[in-house]
Amino acid sequence: MLILHRREFLKIGSLATAAMLVPRFLKAFEQPGLSEGQKVLVIIQLSGGNDGLNTVIPYRNDIYYASRPQLAIPKTQVVGLTDEQGLHPALEGLKELYENGELAILNSVGYPNPDRSHFRSMDIWQTASDSQQVLTTGWVGRYLDAQCSGCPHPSVQAIEVDDTLSKAMKGAQYTGLAVHDPTQLHRASDDPFFREILKKPVVDDDHLQVDYLYKVMAETLSSADYLYDQARLYHEDGQYPDTQIGKDMKTVASLIMAGLPTRVYYLSLGSFDTHVNQQPQQQRLFKQLNDAILAFRNDLKKHNRFQDVMIMTFSEFGRRVSQNASAGTDHGTANCMFLISGGLKRQGVLNAPPDLQNLDQGDLHYEIDFKQVYATILNKWLEANDQLILGKNYTYLDFI
């Protein structure tokens, strides 16, 4: 008979908290993986509101330079793509993707009646709502609801590489799963204390809910080793940068190569909220993003998987056209998006540069509704009913 003291109870509770969403997910890895040709989406959230004008730079536009006397990227440093636009110098590695037909760029992506609050605008992007509408489910979560009815383990279809789950991944019936590092889970579950507990009978306690914790612990211990072993089946040939986004992209690659049935991965990088001294912060984050994407792309190409994987970047809003008095930029509206894959049907810069003359009180007008991008990916890449998931019809784009 087992009686748990408070210290022991808390120790089990910490494992249960970390693994509460994991056990069924781990068991799901034992089901068949992706079929040949099935597509995978990797979403990279640029948290904080990335400055799109210093990302895809209109280097032939005099208004850009007049509006940003300190922040504008000098023409000699821009990584040229077209006669009008180029990339931030820290994103120079993406030019190789551009030249190989593996990069598509959308300018002026946003939504009507934009909100400049971080919380609200991120909520709009993650739920795919209209600006005057509040939804309780995320667009990826609703994808799970639509696609996974009858699936034995639907949440295995979407993984967020993090310790917490974003609203984008939460549906009405099903949710994705937040798992930051399979190795960390393996180490946490390998504590001899937990193994010893399982050898003894347990007494249920209505107050402490020991039976529930015991069950979670048992399921976690029986499954953590399996996840760890599956992730290790893939041994990368290339080197990933020693940054958090580099490690996260390596985790995604290992899970893809291990043959897991996951269709959507979700990662975050930030903060891009650059009100003060923007240049070094954006430079540092772009260097991390650039190096992680290149390593991931090269890894997948070596294993003939890059044609079935797409990276989509987004941020909750862009920044204002003019710099502020603190060598930074304030919250704006429309922004650029990157779409990266070996399976693009249309590549390059897909629409005109932002109009810097016709502004909305100092901010860019949007030209493409971000929900058109979601609808295109849902329908053409993930083979899902985008109208059901998004609640209305949107015109598809032609990058896939």
Side-chain angles (χ1 to χ4, degrees):
M1 180 176 294
L2 176 65
I3 298 176
L4 296 178
H5 297 290
R6 177 176 174 81
R7 179 183 61 82
E8 296 169 325
F9 169 76
L10 291 174
K11 194 170 185 180
I12 295 177
S14 66
L15 179 69
T17 300
M20 209 161 78
L21 294 175
V22 176
R24 292 185 181 87
F25 162 58
L26 296 174
K27 292 293 187 183
F29 285 157
E30 298 173 22
Q31 65 183 336
L34 294 175
S35 302
E36 184 176 354
Q38 276 193 304
K39 308 301 185 184
V40 173
L41 174 65
V42 179
I43 302 168
I44 302 179
Q45 173 183 299
L46 306 180
S47 304
N50 176 49
D51 179 18
L53 285 178
N54 272 22
T55 305
V56 182
I57 302 158
Y59 67 92
R60 296 288 294 274
N61 193 314
D62 293 337
I63 299 175
Y64 166 73
Y65 288 98
S67 301
R68 299 177 169 213
Q70 293 175 280
L71 283 184
I73 305 298
K75 293 180 182 179
T76 56
Q77 296 180 22
V78 174
V79 180
L81 299 180
T82 71
D83 291 339
E84 296 182 86
Q85 290 186 283
L87 295 172
H88 189 286
L91 296 171
E92 62 180 345
L94 299 189
K95 184 169 184 179
E96 179 185 344
L97 279 63
Y98 178 87
E99 292 173 341
N100 287 342
E102 298 165 349
L103 171 64
I105 297 173
L106 292 170
N107 292 304
S108 306
V109 184
Y111 55 90
N113 304 310
D115 196 297
R116 293 165 181 80
S117 159
H118 285 293
F119 177 81
R120 178 59 188 142
S121 193
M122 183 61 78
D123 190 79
I124 290 168
W125 276 82
Q126 290 195 356
T127 64
S129 71
D130 295 332
S131 58
Q132 75 280 6
Q133 179 186 31
V134 176
L135 299 177
T136 59
T137 57
W139 73 281
V140 178
R142 295 198 300 275
Y143 159 77
L144 295 177
D145 287 343
Q147 293 294 103
C148 299
S149 178
C151 296
H153 301 286
S155 54
V156 73
Q157 300 291 326
I159 298 174
E160 182 160 4
V161 186
D162 206 333
D163 295 321
T164 58
L165 198 65
S166 298
K167 191 173 183 179
M169 307 284 276
K170 299 176 182 179
Q173 294 178 286
Y174 307 116
T175 64
L177 293 158
V179 178
H180 203 284
D181 185 350
T183 301
Q184 289 180 359
L185 177 64
H186 172 73
R187 289 172 181 167
S189 68
D190 206 33
D191 191 320
F193 170 81
F194 301 123
R195 308 286 176 178
E196 185 64 26
I197 289 292
L198 287 183
K199 296 177 182 178
K200 302 176 182 179
V202 66
V203 175
D204 192 16
D205 186 307
D206 291 338
H207 178 64
L208 295 179
Q209 296 182 322
V210 173
D211 184 61
Y212 167 75
L213 293 174
Y214 191 91
K215 182 184 297 184
V216 170
M217 181 178 63
E219 291 179 356
T220 302
L221 294 181
S222 68
S223 303
D225 289 344
Y226 179 79
L227 171 60
Y228 177 69
D229 290 340
Q230 288 298 108
R232 294 177 67 201
L233 290 177
Y234 162 67
H235 301 283
E236 74 280 355
D237 298 321
Q239 295 294 317
Y240 282 80
D242 189 23
T243 60
Q244 190 58 60
I245 188 67
K247 295 173 183 176
D248 291 347
M249 293 293 275
K250 180 179 178 181
T251 295
V252 171
S254 70
L255 296 178
I256 291 173
M257 298 303 177
L260 304 183
T262 309
R263 300 296 302 275
V264 181
Y265 293 91
Y266 198 103
L267 304 86
S268 299
L269 175 67
S271 169
F272 286 89
D273 194 18
T274 51
H275 292 281
V276 178
N277 201 19
Q278 173 176 302
Q279 196 280 331
Q281 176 78 345
Q282 197 177 43
Q283 170 83 20
R284 178 180 64 83
L285 292 171
F286 279 168
K287 174 64 174 171
Q288 293 179 14
L289 180 67
N290 177 86
D291 293 353
I293 287 177
L294 283 181
F296 181 78
R297 170 259 198 178
N298 292 340
D299 204 356
L300 266 62
K301 287 193 77 168
K302 286 181 182 178
H303 295 84
N304 196 33
R305 295 300 305 274
F306 191 53
Q307 71 276 7
D308 296 326
V309 177
M310 178 182 296
I311 299 171
M312 181 195 83
T313 70
F314 83 96
S315 196
E316 66 262 39
F317 45 60
R319 316 296 290 192
R320 292 180 67 80
V321 172
S322 296
Q323 70 174 66
N324 61 26
S326 303
T329 51
D330 297 323
H331 299 179
T333 53
N335 210 340
C336 58
M337 295 181 71
F338 291 153
L339 299 151
I340 298 169
S341 176
L344 297 175
K345 291 187 177 178
R346 187 170 171 230
Q347 311 85 18
V349 181
L350 303 187
N351 58 333
D355 184 349
L356 301 188
Q357 280 189 308
N358 178 28
L359 299 179
D360 177 13
Q361 300 179 2
D363 288 323
L364 300 175
H365 288 280
Y366 88 98
E367 299 295 334
I368 297 174
D369 192 318
F370 75 90
K371 293 182 285 296
Q372 291 179 254
V373 183
Y374 290 1
T376 302
I377 291 173
L378 287 167
N379 182 272
K380 297 184 177 183
W381 196 254
L382 297 176
E383 300 176 306
N385 186 335
D386 59 285
Q387 183 179 0
L388 175 65
I389 294 166
L390 300 178
K392 62 177 72 172
N393 282 324
Y394 291 94
T395 302
Y396 300 140
L397 304 175
D398 60 359
F399 57 88
I400 48 177

